[in-house]
Amino acid sequence: MMVGSLGGAVMPPIAGALTASSGGWRLYWGAMAGIAILIAVLCALFIREPAEGLVSSHGWGYRAFLPTSQFAILAVAMVGTQFCTITVSAVTVPHFANVGWSAEYAARILGMQGLVGS
């Protein structure tokens, strides 16, 4: 999770620079699509299924954990947390623009939020 927050610190200034350039939001979303494709290719190359019968030191296999209520609670908590974080990130730049601050300044504020989270 800390790596994701660190990405939240690095990416807003990059997004601000890309959107401020002549490419605008189209350049930004093109760059994000390219990064997503790169990450998908790297995952496909390097992530493999665990060996059959892989069990933790507590006797739990990963497939045994998926249908449990504990996993469901953790999954719902993570989805809720990400929903709030993404909502705040989505409205920060337009809000700052409405009060007269620049998009670059809003991107720096989002970067600080990500840095504090990591």
Side-chain angles (χ1 to χ4, degrees):
M1 287 180 49
M2 290 178 65
V3 172
S5 292
L6 189 58
V10 173
M11 287 309 294
I14 293 172
L18 287 174
T19 56
S21 71
S22 60
W25 285 104
R26 290 176 190 237
L27 176 62
Y28 168 76
W29 285 112
M32 293 302 105
I35 291 170
I37 290 169
L38 175 66
I39 290 171
V41 168
L42 290 173
C43 288
L45 290 173
F46 295 110
I47 296 178
R48 300 285 180 241
E49 286 290 324
E52 196 63 37
L54 182 67
V55 177
S56 73
S57 61
H58 301 291
W60 280 82
Y62 77 100
R63 291 183 192 253
F65 186 66
L66 293 178
T68 64
S69 61
Q70 293 91 341
F71 178 78
I73 290 168
L74 288 172
V76 168
M78 287 303 300
V79 168
T81 300
Q82 289 301 314
F83 177 78
C84 293
T85 302
I86 290 170
T87 301
V88 168
S89 297
V91 300
T92 298
V93 175
H95 170 71
F96 282 159
N98 284 340
V99 296
W101 295 350
S102 70
E104 289 80 16
Y105 182 75
R108 279 189 251 139
I109 295 296
L110 281 174
M112 290 301 296
Q113 176 190 355
L115 189 60
V116 168
S118 65

